[in-house]
Amino acid sequence: MLKQYKPTLDKLTKIVGKSYVLIDEQDTRHYRQGIRFGEGKVLAVVCPGTLLEQWQALQTIIEADCVVIMQAANTGLTGGSTPYGDDYDRPVIIMSTRRLQGIQVILDGKQVVCLPGATLDNLERTLKPYNREPHSVIGSSCIGASVLGGVCNNSGGALVRRGPAYTEMALYARVNESGELELINHLGIDLGTTAEEILTRLQTQDYKTSQITTQTTQLASDNRYAHDVKQVDADSPARFNADPTRLYEASGSAGKVCVFAVRLDTFEKVESRVFYIGSNDHDDLTAIRRYLLTSLPSLPIAGEYIHRDAFSIGAKYGKDTFLFIERFGTVNIPRALALKDRIDGWLEKIKIRGLTDQILQAITFFLPSHLPRRMLAFHQRFEHHLILRVDEQSAEQTQQFLNEYFAVHSTGSYFACTEEEGRKAFLHRFAVAGAAIRYRDTHRAEVEDIVALDIALRRNDREWVEKIPADLEQHMLHKLYYGHFFCHVFHQDYIVKKGTNPLDIEHQMWQLLDERRAEYPAEHNVGHLYVAKPALANFYRKLDPTNTFNVGIGHTSKLKYWRKPNA
């Protein structure tokens, strides 16, 4: 295949440079396998350094009739930006946008224009002098997740007031019904007419404030989620990935178009306080959730849930992540992960798997505890944990309510966090999210794999604690529950025993979720893990009528023009 497509690879090399067209399996390994799920072969990985190079490389790939997989940070959990299997009808080329890191602050910091490689972490730091924040400031931002990835995947994030990442203002390219590549500028910024002019001027921020449209009906954030999440008696989820009302061009596109930039709202940063709540009765947390969503002067900022078992696994197997961020900051996480992945690749060539994880785990084992004493005490006392952040104007009412509530409910308690305790509590919640992977990689003799689900429960669902049938639970070593409690979005990781088929377990879990009328995935790309529901699949077909971009996601066709296999 390399010989047949050598002219295409030569053209790509001429556009982006020899160092940025990767074809060796060792060099492409980090790009062609997901962080938790999904892997496949590729003809090449192309890494453009400018928006114009991105456009020219895209033209070359389309002319060669190859499949394009757009990839930003590759932090997704469902294989949504990597190939899957070897049953494609055309060669696959990944276009990595990591080099395209640009953030342009406009309108006095009230909005930003983000290029494909912009990360949430960088955006958060860029907005700090303006006393403003991006859509998400916890969790995925710590591992270098891209801003565009969040928009394209309708990612929800942890902040209760802001909802899914969303914009109707984007610059993107698509292949139309006639097979022609077209560039569409809906940024609301006058950048010219030709692709070369538009992309070059955007790259260099060669535009004036007068060329930015401000009087527009196009949204740069989700303006109705704050209302939706407060409807605690509604018999439907507040948000989920395939919600048809939140699918618009780049938003929710899941790589079915090539996005060059998005324009987004930013949010005023507010002073806040953190409370740590524990209980042995899940009804306590339900009552707290319902009160705080409906009775405070303003919505809570965040409310993160951790089950005791997830707390335990996270404290042990997420300890190195916690300590690394404490010492070196979030900005260095992607580089560290890339280095670890490269070392793992070399070791796997000599049939050694999991050595780096074993070493890291051994080192952290001998280090002192990294969690505050009051958190550890609550871990011993309580099954359910809730980390609550509210703004200053709601803090006194929140504390008064918690005092009154637990005065008559002996099943739980709370404490007001110091600044350090609050910071460490939320950082621990993030470390929990990756702990299942470390557990798997250090227990390969006992663990087959992880089944990872993210689900959205109905807003009025009081029975949010999952009950798994014994014949299904017997195949699991551990169940890890954590999530965005006020949104009723939960992440559920099941560590499956050796010899068990994880996909069988997952499909049985889907049946249980269907019975509960939950939506899934809640905030991740369907990737190659979930089945795209009809509305979502139709959205993909409309965006990409020739089925050129990220083909096969959501268990859709991998064939050109959406043909069915053997048709």
Side-chain angles (χ1 to χ4, degrees), residues 296-347:
L296 292 182
S298 56
L299 279 171
I301 296 171
E304 293 295 293
Y305 170 77
I306 310 176
H307 185 269
R308 173 188 275 156
D309 294 344
F311 187 111
S312 300
I313 296 291
K316 184 174 182 180
Y317 294 94
K319 187 175 182 179
D320 64 314
T321 299
F322 184 106
L323 294 174
F324 185 94
I325 294 173
E326 280 271 282
R327 177 66 178 84
F328 300 107
T330 58
V331 68
N332 293 301
I333 284 282
R335 193 178 305 164
L337 290 176
L339 176 61
K340 178 182 179 299
D341 183 78
R342 182 169 287 273
I343 295 171
D344 287 340
W346 291 333
L347 292 173

Side-chain angles (χ1 to χ4, degrees), residues 21-39:
V21 178
L22 312 177
I23 57 175
D24 181 78
E25 285 199 357
Q26 180 68 22
D27 293 334
T28 62
R29 179 182 185 274
H30 186 65
Y31 300 89
R32 57 183 170 79
Q33 63 181 27
I35 192 171
R36 185 179 283 178
F37 178 84
E39 182 177 2

